[in-house]
Amino acid sequence: MIKKTFYLLSLLITVFPAYTQQIKQERTIPSIDPFASGYLSTSLLINPCLDISSIENYDSDGYTTKMVDEAKAAYPANTCNNPALANKLFKARFLQYSTITLVDDPWNLDIEIVEQNKLISQCKDTTCLDKVLDTIISQLYPRYISIPIGRPPTSGRLCSGKVDLASDKKMDLVIKKLVASLSTDDNCGSKDFSDYVDNPIDEDKSKPYTNVLFDICKSNVGDLFIAECKMFGNQVNTQTWFYLLKPDIEPKLLFNSYNGPYYPLDSTCNGMQDFMISGRTSLREHQIVYYRYNGQQYEAAYSYMEVGIGRDDNGNDMAVADLIKKKEIICK
């Protein structure tokens, strides 16, 4: 089997050298000239010197001009009149808000970006700005191109070790009640989709049908009941729940979201793994939320709207983080 796999890989490299070369291509930074996101706010986030004169009816209400003027006013006078400096500003801003979408700990990178933006705001002339932008680019560019392309965002399971409920009738009853409560029409529903044409699911016909997929495992704070609704057809988001199970106590809800599934991360907080969710809101937008355990439940620590802005010269997807929200979670 190993020899066969190696042979097929060698054949791929021999027959399709251009394809394998494309796989190895690193990320590139787009050019400032044709750059314009579908949203003006996102475009100005990355390119404060955006030329909007080519936008149809851009000044029909004066609002667009006001947004552009406010974006330019955040930088020293004549910044946008200097093409080289405007391009450097674009490059720095792109590296800041694109790299956020590539790391698994954006709250740490955000600290650096806040400091970088503070230095920018302190510049009174273009000479100072030029130096600060050079520093930002030198700090972020190596990181941006070094992050593996298409890396998996998960580290596997949120907790480890299966829980055997064969001899625990009380807890088994608790689980059945939980599954029943999540099988209502307000949650996962009760309709049988097991024979859905586009996405058939193998079901154990010997067990009662449910649209709830669940797992029970051990964590540092106790046994966890992790449940998700089954997904069918072209569905991309699903409701997700985490419950903490303890004997003779009602299950405690630690997390619930309609934008699952969730993706565990390698980092931890207060003894529990961090995780993220990625809910699709449109064809090129995803609401990204990172959750950390605050000692009592999971809480949103960092979120942003990931906005796709096309592909770079090597065919790699590009996105930037807009509408950032954050809350510090104290980890002990």
Side-chain angles (χ1 to χ4, degrees), residues 49-311:
C49 296
L50 179 69
D51 179 9
I52 61 169
S53 61
S54 60
I55 302 177
E56 185 178 359
N57 298 324
Y58 75 91
D59 204 23
S60 59
D61 57 1
Y63 181 70
T64 301
T65 299
K66 180 182 178 182
M67 288 184 63
V68 172
D69 290 343
E70 289 177 350
K72 293 180 178 179
Y75 303 93
N78 296 317
T79 294
C80 296
N81 295 331
N82 182 332
L85 186 59
N87 186 69
K88 192 175 290 187
L89 176 59
F90 166 78
K91 186 175 183 178
R93 300 286 288 177
F94 173 83
L95 285 171
Q96 287 178 323
Y97 294 99
S98 184
T99 307
I100 282 181
T101 69
L102 301 175
V103 298
D104 287 337
D105 57 342
W107 52 88
N108 288 325
L109 177 58
D110 187 89
I111 294 173
E112 298 178 40
I113 293 176
V114 168
E115 281 300 311
Q116 292 169 352
N117 289 338
K118 182 179 179 181
L119 292 175
I120 289 177
S121 67
Q122 292 173 347
C123 286
K124 304 302 180 183
D125 55 55
T126 55
T127 301
C128 169
L129 179 62
D130 188 70
K131 292 180 180 179
V132 171
L133 294 178
D134 279 337
T135 300
I136 294 173
I137 293 169
S138 66
Q139 290 173 344
L140 292 180
Y141 182 69
R143 187 182 309 184
Y144 175 75
I145 64 173
S146 67
I147 297 173
I149 296 173
R151 79 197 195 291
T154 89
S155 61
R157 293 161 52 85
L158 191 66
C159 52
S160 60
K162 288 280 187 178
V163 176
D164 184 10
L165 297 177
S167 58
D168 193 337
K169 294 183 178 180
K170 285 187 177 180
M171 192 57 71
D172 182 58
L173 182 60
V174 169
I175 300 301
K176 289 180 179 177
K177 288 183 177 180
L178 274 175
V179 173
S181 68
L182 302 183
S183 299
T184 61
D185 291 339
D186 292 337
N187 294 308
C188 295
S190 56
K191 185 176 180 179
D192 188 342
F193 289 101
S194 58
D195 294 325
Y196 194 91
V197 177
D198 293 338
N199 191 16
I201 295 178
D202 293 331
E203 297 287 344
D204 185 349
K205 302 299 183 181
S206 66
K207 296 181 180 179
Y209 179 83
T210 176
N211 287 327
V212 180
L213 295 173
F214 67 92
D215 191 16
I216 305 168
C217 56
K218 296 182 180 298
S219 74
N220 290 332
V221 298
D223 295 344
L224 292 186
F225 172 88
I226 301 176
E228 295 177 340
C229 297
K230 292 176 182 176
M231 294 193 294
F232 303 95
N234 61 355
Q235 182 184 351
V236 291
N237 300 336
T238 186
Q239 196 168 2
T240 304
W241 300 264
F242 299 167
Y243 281 93
L244 177 63
L245 304 178
K246 290 190 176 182
D248 302 320
I249 299 177
E250 284 293 312
K252 180 182 179 180
L253 182 64
L254 301 184
F255 169 75
N256 174 227
S257 173
Y258 284 87
N259 287 326
Y262 71 96
Y263 304 94
L265 304 171
D266 290 328
S267 55
T268 62
C269 185
N270 296 310
M272 293 289 285
Q273 245 178 312
D274 302 329
F275 65 91
M276 64 164 284
I277 60 173
S278 174
R280 192 173 82 173
T281 59
S282 72
L283 187 60
R284 64 176 188 170
E285 292 177 300
H286 289 78
Q287 181 65 42
I288 309 296
V289 187
Y290 287 80
Y291 286 86
R292 313 198 77 186
Y293 187 66
N294 63 14
Q296 295 296 323
Q297 62 186 16
Y298 274 101
E299 192 171 3
Y302 199 91
S303 69
Y304 57 85
M305 183 64 72
E306 181 185 83
V307 182
I309 56 172
R311 296 188 177 186

Side-chain angles (χ1 to χ4, degrees), residues 22 25-31 311-316 318:
Q22 182 182 6
Q25 294 283 6
E26 65 183 20
R27 294 183 180 87
T28 62
I29 297 177
S31 170
R311 296 188 177 186
D312 65 18
D313 292 340
N314 289 332
N316 302 307
M318 297 184 299

